[in-house]
Amino acid sequence: MIYTKTGDKGKTSLFEPDPNKRVRVSKSSLRIEAIGAIDEANSYLGIANFHTSSTQTKTFVKAIQKNLFTVGAILSKAQLKINKEDVIEIERRIDRMEEKLPPLRNFVMPEGSESAVHFMYARSLIRAAERRVVAVSKKETISAEVLQYLNRLSDYLFVVFRDENKRAKVSEELWVGKKR
């Protein structure tokens, strides 16, 4: 049965293997907000991934989605971890894609091909989730790898956005601020 009715009063449980030690917290707590933001970003990554034609991107985004489930579980206090190697793999992929993209000196308008804009929106959702996780980290210990992973992931999604536009032959529109 999908419904338990245990959350009907605005509380939910964090992970605890021993059901006698389960902690109930408000669904509006910083931790639950962070978990929800990770879930939202992960769900949207599924939409973005649907729209790409890149097999390489599809495969790696699925791995990212699994890692985001791990991040959510970590925030729920499960004894899991994001490895430094997960962060390094994102950096490797960013480096490989950036070698094929023109260097940037300005901000890029968040527009372009359908697949590109989905990845750009996913990037903004990851940034929002990262801010919520940082808020939790100000009150409780969050592993450095989780924070690094989210930070690199938003960078990766930005580069995917650019790559998607390049593959669709959509030119980037640079944002240039107005001088006073």
Side-chain angles (χ1 to χ4, degrees), residues 19 117 148:
V117 296
Q148 290 168 357

Side-chain angles (χ1 to χ4, degrees), residues 79-95:
Q79 297 301 306
L80 300 173
K81 65 180 185 172
I82 291 293
N83 297 313
K84 183 70 176 166
E85 184 58 37
D86 296 319
V87 175
I88 292 168
E89 182 57 27
I90 289 176
E91 291 171 350
R92 280 188 205 121
R93 288 176 183 261
I94 289 170
D95 293 345

Side-chain angles (χ1 to χ4, degrees), residues 3-175:
Y3 59 89
T4 62
K5 300 183 184 180
T6 59
D8 289 354
K9 294 182 181 172
K11 293 204 172 207
T12 190
S13 294
L14 296 176
F15 182 81
E16 174 55 56
D18 182 348
N20 297 320
K21 294 182 180 178
R22 287 229 166 101
V23 176
R24 305 279 297 159
V25 296
S26 171
K27 289 182 179 183
S28 66
S29 74
L30 284 177
R31 184 174 292 277
I32 300 305
E33 284 286 333
I35 293 166
I38 294 293
D39 184 46
E40 182 179 6
N42 199 356
S43 296
Y44 201 83
L45 264 176
I47 293 170
N49 213 25
F50 172 81
H51 288 280
T52 185
S53 60
S54 168
T55 305
Q56 191 173 19
T57 298
K58 277 186 186 294
T59 301
F60 191 58
V61 167
K62 283 185 182 186
I64 288 167
Q65 288 183 289
K66 290 175 185 176
N67 279 341
L68 287 175
F69 273 115
T70 300
V71 168
I74 291 166
L75 292 171
S76 296
K77 299 197 173 193
Q79 297 301 306
L80 300 173
K81 65 180 185 172
I82 291 293
N83 297 313
K84 183 70 176 166
E85 184 58 37
D86 296 319
V87 175
I88 292 168
E89 182 57 27
I90 289 176
E91 291 171 350
R92 280 188 205 121
R93 288 176 183 261
I94 289 170
D95 293 345
R96 282 196 301 264
M97 281 191 289
E98 279 193 320
E99 287 174 358
K100 300 173 187 171
L101 294 168
L104 276 182
R105 306 270 185 261
N106 297 77
F107 288 109
V108 178
M109 295 298 292
E111 60 188 22
S113 71
E114 184 174 11
S115 61
V117 296
H118 282 293
F119 280 104
M120 182 58 102
Y121 188 65
R123 182 204 62 83
S124 69
L125 292 174
I126 288 294
R127 281 282 196 227
E130 178 187 16
R131 290 190 301 272
R132 288 188 175 105
V133 174
V134 167
V136 173
S137 77
K138 299 296 181 195
K139 297 183 180 283
E140 300 178 49
T141 302
I142 301 294
S143 78
E145 288 79 15
V146 165
L147 294 169
Q148 290 168 357
Y149 187 82
L150 294 173
N151 188 268
R152 288 318 174 285
L153 179 53
S154 64
D155 294 338
Y156 170 77
L157 294 173
F158 177 74
V159 175
V160 171
F161 155 78
R162 294 189 68 214
D163 183 63
E164 290 288 316
N165 273 337
K166 181 182 178 196
R167 288 186 312 99
K169 297 181 177 30
V170 174
S171 60
E172 296 176 322
E173 181 181 339
L174 300 179
W175 173 82

